Amino acid sequence: MTLANHPPGAPDMTALKARALNLRRKMMRMAAGKGEGYIAQGLAIADCLAVLYFHEMRHDSAAPDWPDRDRFLLSTGHYSIALYAALAEAGYLDEDALASYGLNGSALPMSTFDETPGVEIVGGSLGHGLGQAVGMAMGLKLGGSPARVFCEFSDGELQEGSTWEAAMGGATFKCDNLVALVDCNGIQADGPVTVAIEPVADKMAAFGWDAVDVNGNDISALTEALAGARKPDGRPKAIVMRTTPGFGVPTIMARERAHFVRVANDEWDSLQVELEKENA
Amino acid sequence: MLEQDGSIGNRTRGMGEIVEVEGKTTELAPFGITLAALARERPEIVGLTADMGRYSDILPFRDAHPDRFFNVGMAEQSLIMIAAGLSKVGKIAYCTTYSVFITRRAYDFVAIACAHSKANVKIFAGMPGLVNGYGATHQATEDLNMMRGIADLTIIDPCDATELKQVVRAVADIPGTVYVRNLRGKVPVELGPDYRFEVGKAKQLRAGSGKIGIVATGYMSARALDAAKAVEAKGHDVGVLHVSTIKPFDAAGVLDFARRHERLIVAENHKTTGGLASLVVETLYEAGIQMPLIKIGLDDGFFECGSQDYLERKYQVDQPRFERAILEDR
């Protein structure tokens, strides 16, 4: 076995930035010509996934079913483009397979199924991730496993009652091996988030979680928050990540904040040039 | 109407009240006692409830294995999500609450978090059908209909304590998610010691003359046996087929039984739409069989509060209803 990130050393910011750029490159290639879509949300969580897969999580792409692996749950299954990019970068998926993303009959469907190597849950029915993460964290503790569970979910999912049931569960069962990564990008299906969900970190704290609020596109802030989340103090951890949809590609960032960004077929080449320029 | 302890009998039963079953041998808490014993052999078993431990008979498991028991509170979505999560790290998660709350409130979670992932979650859903006296809010009279719609879900409606105990053990080895209609309290022993539950297999409990056959599920199969016995003296020899697995449905077994009888009575502790009767009619029709068939079950509606015997009488799913179907063909 070749364990990644065990134990996590000091973060190598240059390497992590390069990983995040690679994830964004992969996503742009996967999305090109597909008119889509979830590229804005995907680009926004690239930094988080780079830090998880290449710094914080103990895992081994040669052994995706290793019982003591750290788990990553993508509750927003439609952000699959970002997860597939991370899984390819980490060696779980064949780079060539990425081209089939979202195509009919593809093993990399638009919304995640757990048959895909490295994908832990069927995501996309929103409000399903955190509760399953709580169950996994409980089961791992019960079995004496050192594994931890990292669960991404979105600000929109804070409107699902099940998310708050899960938040109560995480605190009740003292899941200090669980880290919630709340992707607050300010958008949901019908447009900007309009339901009063703030203050998110205070709400999580009131539910018994150790919560911090960070810039989710700042790799240094993310590594610091994740380091703080390692405390075995009986409390589950929440990292509220303020992310910018389309981060890394100014034209997409500037586009109307919509759940499903429209990109014309002739725009992709110039957008990829933008990404390279932005990260030069 | 006073009971032995001096209390009024003609009333809605209290939550968790253990009702005496007259004229039957019973076993107390067969679900929880069997699960506690099984979990001694199977360390991967965990037990959960959503604030219904006392009312679902899981307390013997809690008392035997407190470190493996979790009460998630009054939160059925959480119950199913946590059970799914536990199963995805290698546990077999038995979870309990009332059928209505699992089916009506947590449906999406049973479908996607559990069944879609073939998660080892075993749902023991309490108070199915008219068992609960608290009215429509607590009576799962369409649960079979709802759960049949979920792919990769096994659905079992056991007859009695004998079968329930076997089911508790069997589901540990049935891969994926299983929905069981649980029976609690003093559960009658109706089936003989030779009875063997097999998932997906209907069992003929009584051979008849071939004129009238009853196809039943859950405890209605015991009612059918009692009715068959009661009409014996009147010259009727009724066959009884017990279909405890609703999904996957034993179409071949039902067709074989139907072909050996002139007319059928189908009985279930459920509405007559979407459950066993619908399955039997679909199966017969697709096989090109047309035959007289009477449905014993609940009409569409929301049902009132009251004791089980009162409700069964009122809504015509009691013992005399069977005898009328047999003797009067209506």
Side-chain angles (χ1 to χ4, degrees), chain B residues 188-203:
Chain B
V189 178
E190 308 273 8
L191 303 171
D194 296 335
Y195 178 82
R196 290 290 171 268
F197 166 78
E198 279 180 88
V199 67
K201 279 272 180 226
K203 298 272 168 153

Side-chain angles (χ1 to χ4, degrees), chain B residues 210-215 238-240 257 261-266:
Chain B
K211 189 161 183 270
I212 303 169
I214 305 178
V215 182
V238 177
V240 176
F257 183 80
H261 291 83
E262 291 173 23
R263 69 178 177 94
L264 292 183
I265 296 165
V266 183

Side-chain angles (χ1 to χ4, degrees), chain A residues 69 71 113-115 120-122 125 127-128 131-132 134-136 138-140 142-143 161-162 165-166 169 173, chain B residues 46 48 67-68 70-72 74-79 81-82 84-86 88-89 91 108-109 112-113 116-117:
Chain A
R69 70 190 181 280
R71 269 80 169 168
F113 286 2
D114 52 7
E115 287 97 348
E120 302 284 356
I121 60 165
V122 178
S125 182
H128 279 223
Q132 295 188 71
V134 170
M136 287 184 186
M138 289 163 67
L140 291 165
L142 189 61
S162 59
E165 288 187 16
F173 299 111
Chain B
V46 294
L48 298 96
D67 55 325
R68 289 194 259 161
F70 306 102
N71 184 348
V72 306
M74 209 183 293
E76 293 76 20
Q77 301 176 118
S78 184
L79 174 77
M81 288 188 290
I82 287 177
L86 283 160
K88 289 171 191 184
V89 295
K91 308 297 179 193
D108 183 28
F109 299 84
I112 302 300
H116 197 312
S117 295

Side-chain angles (χ1 to χ4, degrees), chain B residues 37-275:
Chain B
L38 179 65
R40 272 180 215 111
E41 305 154 24
R42 305 284 291 260
E44 71 274 34
I45 287 177
V46 294
L48 298 96
T49 191
D51 192 38
M52 285 284 156
R54 198 175 298 282
Y55 313 106
S56 64
D57 276 354
I58 201 172
L59 297 190
F61 172 86
R62 177 200 66 181
D63 295 342
H65 310 282
D67 55 325
R68 289 194 259 161
F69 173 77
F70 306 102
N71 184 348
V72 306
M74 209 183 293
E76 293 76 20
Q77 301 176 118
S78 184
L79 174 77
I80 299 299
M81 288 188 290
I82 287 177
L86 283 160
S87 78
K88 289 171 191 184
V89 295
K91 308 297 179 193
I92 303 176
Y94 283 70
C95 41
T96 60
T97 179
Y98 286 177
S99 306
V100 276
F101 305 132
I102 292 281
T103 56
R104 294 180 188 152
R105 193 165 302 204
Y107 191 83
D108 183 28
F109 299 84
V110 176
I112 302 300
C114 296
H116 197 312
S117 295
K118 299 181 173 60
N120 254 326
V121 174
K122 317 301 173 184
I123 299 164
F124 280 74
M127 300 266 161
L130 273 195
V131 176
N132 193 293
Y134 281 47
T137 56
H138 286 58
Q139 291 159 349
T141 53
E142 72 287 311
D143 62 325
L144 298 178
N145 185 13
M146 292 179 73
M147 302 318 265
R148 267 183 66 199
I150 297 178
D152 291 333
L153 180 73
T154 300
I155 303 172
I156 302 168
D157 190 6
C159 173
D160 74 336
T162 302
E163 185 168 44
L164 178 57
K165 289 191 295 182
Q166 294 182 28
V167 168
V168 172
R169 289 181 168 274
V171 296
D173 296 313
I174 297 172
T177 309
V178 184
Y179 175 85
V180 181
R181 290 182 122 196
N182 196 11
L183 299 167
R184 70 165 291 278
K186 288 187 173 174
V187 180
V189 178
E190 308 273 8
L191 303 171
D194 296 335
Y195 178 82
R196 290 290 171 268
F197 166 78
E198 279 180 88
V199 67
K201 279 272 180 226
K203 298 272 168 153
Q204 185 153 353
L205 301 179
R206 191 178 198 281
S209 64
K211 189 161 183 270
I212 303 169
I214 305 178
V215 182
T217 185
Y219 66 67
M220 293 300 259
S221 294
R223 300 266 199 289
L225 284 175
D226 288 346
K229 210 169 161 191
V231 297
E232 243 175 17
K234 293 173 183 163
H236 291 275
D237 192 2
V238 177
V240 176
L241 183 73
H242 174 49
V243 187
S244 52
T245 311
I246 295 294
K247 189 173 184 173
F249 186 63
D250 185 2
V254 168
L255 283 174
D256 172 61
F257 183 80
R259 287 188 175 112
R260 290 186 283 110
H261 291 83
E262 291 173 23
R263 69 178 177 94
L264 292 183
I265 296 165
V266 183
E268 61 201 306
N269 173 29
H270 187 267
K271 288 183 193 172
T272 55
T273 48

